[in-house]
């Protein structure tokens, strides 16, 4: 099955401690950037920064070393923001 759109799914589990999974789907081959930022907008980590083909992907994010709180993850396709979602780290 070929995805018909770009989709950023809600992470699971959410809230999480210390690990969560972020999933997304791509409808065409493109350059993908997946970033995690804190509540102040400071980038914490770049999880994906490469060209990827059509399909559904899963990426693990581990919050070890980060404080409890709200974080945002953002899917950027070919330098255009597709979606941003919120996740909560509880320690």
């Amino acid at each position: 099955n070929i995805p018909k759109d770009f989709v950023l799914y809600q992470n699971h589990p959410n809230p999480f401690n210390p690990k969560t999974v972020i999933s997304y789907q791509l409808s065409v081959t493109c350059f993908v950037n997946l970033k995690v930022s804190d509540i102040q907008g400071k980038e914490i980590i770049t999880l994906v920064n490469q060209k990827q083909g059509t399909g559904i992907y899963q990426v693990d994010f581990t919050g070890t070393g980060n404080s409890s709180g709200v974080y945002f993850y953002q899917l950027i396709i070919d330098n255009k923001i597709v979606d941003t979602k919120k996740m909560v780290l509880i320690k």
Side-chain angles (χ1 to χ4, degrees):
N1 291 340
I2 297 174
K4 295 183 170 121
D5 207 355
F6 297 111
V7 179
L8 178 61
Y9 297 101
Q10 186 63 51
N11 66 302
H12 61 88
N14 189 29
F16 68 98
N17 179 17
K19 185 173 123 179
T20 190
V21 177
I22 299 170
S23 301
Y24 57 94
Q25 77 177 27
L26 306 176
S27 58
V28 297
T29 298
C30 53
F31 193 85
V32 177
N33 196 290
L34 181 63
K35 297 180 178 189
V36 176
S37 302
D38 65 16
I39 192 77
Q40 297 172 336
K42 178 183 172 196
E43 185 179 322
I44 301 299
I45 190 169
T46 297
L47 299 172
V48 178
N49 189 34
Q50 65 185 26
K51 189 174 184 177
Q52 293 183 315
T54 301
I56 298 173
Y57 295 86
Q58 292 185 334
V59 179
D60 292 339
F61 172 68
T62 303
T64 306
N66 296 313
S67 59
S68 294
V70 174
Y71 292 86
F72 296 94
Y73 57 102
Q74 187 171 62
L75 180 64
I76 302 165
I77 305 294
D78 292 333
N79 294 317
K80 297 175 189 158
I81 297 170
V82 172
D83 201 359
T84 302
K85 300 236 185 260
K86 177 173 75 170
M87 60 184 170
V88 179
L89 172 60
I90 296 177
K91 289 192 174 187

